[in-house]
Amino acid sequence: MSKPLEGKIGLVVGVANKRSIAWGIAKAWKEAGATLAFTYQGERLKGNVEQLVGEFGEDTILLPCDVTQDAEIDTVFSEIKSRFGKLDLLLHAVAFAPKEALEGDFVNTSREAFRVAHDVSAYSLVALSRAAAPLMTDGGSIVAMSYYGAEKVVPHYNVMGVAKAALEASARYLAYDLGEQKIRVNCISAGPVNTLAARGISGFTAMLKHYEAHSPMKRNVTHEELGATAVFLASEGGAAITGQTLYVDCGYEIMGMYS
Ligand code: 0WE
């Protein structure tokens, strides 16, 4: 097995449990040779993430980070600086909208639900990238997770679709700002994956079945495939790719009419 990320330091934001997309990508980055730091959101998830990260060995660090708190973001990056001295990779795999905003009609989205969804799911990429950039002294690769609902209407995805559109646009503006520093910023738009965030969304199982029936590849994307894409983006293969949204969805996005 080749180690395209040997000697690279990465920060992974968004692991909640072993089904998290962030965990799938972390495993792939580690397999490719990277040394990783992780954050967890709140005491509720600390135990989970601690147990998972235990597999990663001594050089891994785990830090609390609520991405809506600038002070917590600052602490994360000063810890990374003192422990590793630099950063090469950043994974953003966090999103949240209040549950009621994902249930009714988009037209009824409250000002507060709109604000929270954009703060957690989109602004956090800007804040994390700004803090990461000074540590990315040899350039870097920033990867954020998105979804088709950013581009087309997916019923009930509602304000999350608007926030993902903001995330993808933010990735383009960040790519422009950070390009000369050899820092690339891209989104992976994943097909649906059965995670903690997806569970409790009514009709989610039907959505997985829909992709299975109608995507060109007639199946759903795996954690391993998302991990392999993130390795590609972080390594030489991605060296001239920035500001893009890559659909990793078994081809679903290309379809116009389903048969
Ligand atoms: O981005 C997402 C989901 C993110 C998410 C999930 C939740 C559930 C619990 C954000 N906020 C919350 N808030 C909660 O209270 N996905 C891409 C998965 C997803 O979510 C959907 C989808 C898909 C796909 C919601 C409605 C329709 C489709």
Side-chain angles (χ1 to χ4, degrees), residues 155-235:
H156 306 301
Y157 198 60
N158 295 358
V159 72
M160 270 311 307
V162 181
K164 289 299 194 188
L167 178 80
E168 292 178 5
S170 297
R172 290 189 284 272
Y173 281 89
L174 291 165
Y176 174 69
D177 284 353
L178 303 176
E180 277 188 65
Q181 297 170 61
K182 293 202 313 188
I183 299 170
R184 299 177 293 101
V185 188
N186 293 288
C187 294
I188 293 176
S189 186
V193 177
N194 203 356
T195 65
L196 187 64
R199 222 174 315 148
I201 287 158
S202 66
F204 192 78
T205 308
M207 199 172 315
L208 290 171
K209 285 226 153 61
H210 177 82
Y211 271 70
E212 242 175 70
H214 300 297
S215 63
M217 297 175 75
K218 300 289 182 271
R219 64 176 181 81
N220 282 287
V221 66
T222 67
H223 284 82
E224 289 73 19
E225 289 164 339
L226 295 171
T229 301
V231 169
F232 159 74
L233 282 174
S235 58

